[in-house]
Amino acid sequence: FTEKRVKYIVYDYGGQSEYHVNHSIFLRWDNSIYVVILNLCRFRDLEGNVLKTPEPLKLEELSCISDKYIYWLKFINVAVPNDRVNDGASKAHVITCFNCDQLLIKTGSIIIESAKTIISQTQNDWM
């Protein structure tokens, strides 16, 4: 390997709908890698108050992550410049991560494995 400097810039868009217009401005950069983070825990109660301890999603709630994931894949791919697609490059380079509490990591292997399966199926169906 030869030593080579790489310049990178990280933007945290947060995912809130009120900022989606701003997202599309910055998603147009060439040679970008997009990281989609999906929550496997609930961090707020139904009234929007922050929970003292995150609550893991239940198995029956996992279908919502597939919908959110598809939304973000579409959003990213629409924003990628058309010339990358025309040159035969893939539409977008996406890394998918899960955000969860340590308790879920220790005790929630069924939730995590089910989420991995859902995401894998979504990628196979959509990408």
Side-chain angles (χ1 to χ4, degrees):
F1 293 102
T2 60
E3 187 175 321
K4 185 176 181 180
R5 290 184 169 241
V6 176
K7 179 180 178 182
Y8 64 93
I9 301 170
V10 176
Y11 293 102
D12 178 0
Y13 298 117
Q16 293 88 352
S17 59
E18 57 268 21
Y19 298 114
H20 287 191
V21 171
N22 294 336
H23 290 21
S24 60
I25 295 168
F26 296 103
L27 289 174
R28 297 190 167 275
W29 291 18
D30 222 2
N31 299 322
S32 296
I33 298 172
Y34 306 96
V35 179
V36 176
I37 301 173
L38 301 168
N39 286 326
L40 296 183
C41 287
R42 198 175 303 99
F43 297 93
R44 295 182 180 270
D45 63 20
L46 296 174
E47 289 80 39
N49 302 311
V50 176
L51 297 170
K52 290 181 182 178
T53 304
E55 297 175 357
L57 295 178
K58 297 180 175 105
L59 278 174
E60 59 270 14
E61 297 174 303
L62 286 180
S63 63
C64 71
I65 68 168
S66 176
D67 296 338
K68 289 178 182 177
Y69 188 54
I70 290 170
Y71 172 84
W72 284 109
L73 290 176
K74 287 180 180 178
F75 193 93
I76 291 166
N77 279 313
V78 165
V80 171
N82 283 336
D83 57 339
R84 282 184 61 195
V85 176
N86 294 334
D87 288 341
S90 63
K91 289 186 95 178
H93 306 287
V94 179
I95 297 172
T96 306
C97 302
F98 295 130
N99 182 19
C100 56
D101 184 65
Q102 288 292 349
L103 179 64
L104 181 63
I105 293 170
K106 292 177 184 173
T107 63
S109 63
I110 293 171
I111 298 290
I112 294 171
E113 290 306 314
S114 297
K116 286 180 184 178
T117 300
I118 289 170
I119 294 309
S120 179
Q121 289 171 347
T122 302
Q123 289 172 338
N124 289 337
D125 293 345
W126 197 83
M127 295 176 94

